[in-house]
Amino acid sequence: MEFQLDSKKKIIAVLITVIIAAMVVLYLRESVFTFKASDYEDLSRGMSQEEVSRVLGKRSKLLYEKTQDDGVVVTSYMWTNPDGSLVEARFENNKLKFKTERGLVNKK
């Protein structure tokens, strides 16, 4: 009986360790994810904000959001790399209309 209890505790401990390790990997992947000039070039007019986030990473900052008199929703987001390079994107009704970058270099 004691052997079975110790075995179950070990299995639970291993499972908890694996879950924690997976969470740390996911967190670190997102927190150190950087985008390059080639990623910026992959962005095209008409992409949604979600599609752009898949290319540049989920850590974006909403800079501006306004509904115009004609009903068009205009939003502007910024993605920043740890080195300070950045991409700004303007969306109209969740469709990319304009993009700009500063400081991006192509890193292999």
Side-chain angles (χ1 to χ4, degrees):
M1 181 79 166
E2 188 176 316
F3 174 74
Q4 286 179 334
L5 186 58
D6 285 343
S7 247
K8 287 179 183 180
K9 284 181 181 179
K10 287 179 183 178
I11 290 171
I12 290 171
V14 168
L15 287 174
I16 290 171
T17 302
V18 168
I19 290 169
I20 291 171
M23 291 171 63
V24 167
V25 167
L26 289 173
Y27 172 78
L28 289 175
R29 185 177 140 213
E30 184 61 34
S31 65
V32 298
F33 178 82
T34 59
F35 47 88
K36 307 177 288 272
S38 60
D39 297 319
Y40 173 79
E41 296 302 324
D42 288 341
L43 304 178
S44 57
R45 287 177 56 98
M47 292 176 78
S48 69
Q49 191 269 331
E50 293 80 16
E51 291 170 318
V52 172
S53 287
R54 272 183 262 170
V55 174
L56 299 179
K58 294 183 181 177
R59 292 183 177 254
S60 63
K61 179 180 178 182
L62 177 64
L63 300 175
Y64 177 83
E65 181 173 23
K66 182 178 181 182
T67 302
Q68 298 178 343
D69 292 339
D70 60 1
V72 174
V73 178
V74 177
T75 54
S76 180
Y77 288 88
M78 180 173 61
W79 289 260
T80 307
N81 276 328
D83 68 359
S85 59
L86 60 88
V87 170
E88 288 185 31
R90 177 183 165 166
F91 299 85
E92 292 181 10
N93 289 334
N94 198 33
K95 299 293 179 193
L96 180 62
K97 293 294 180 183
F98 178 78
K99 64 179 183 174
T100 187
E101 62 86 13
R102 186 172 61 222
L104 289 180
V105 293
N106 256 332
K107 297 176 185 172
K108 303 243 175 186

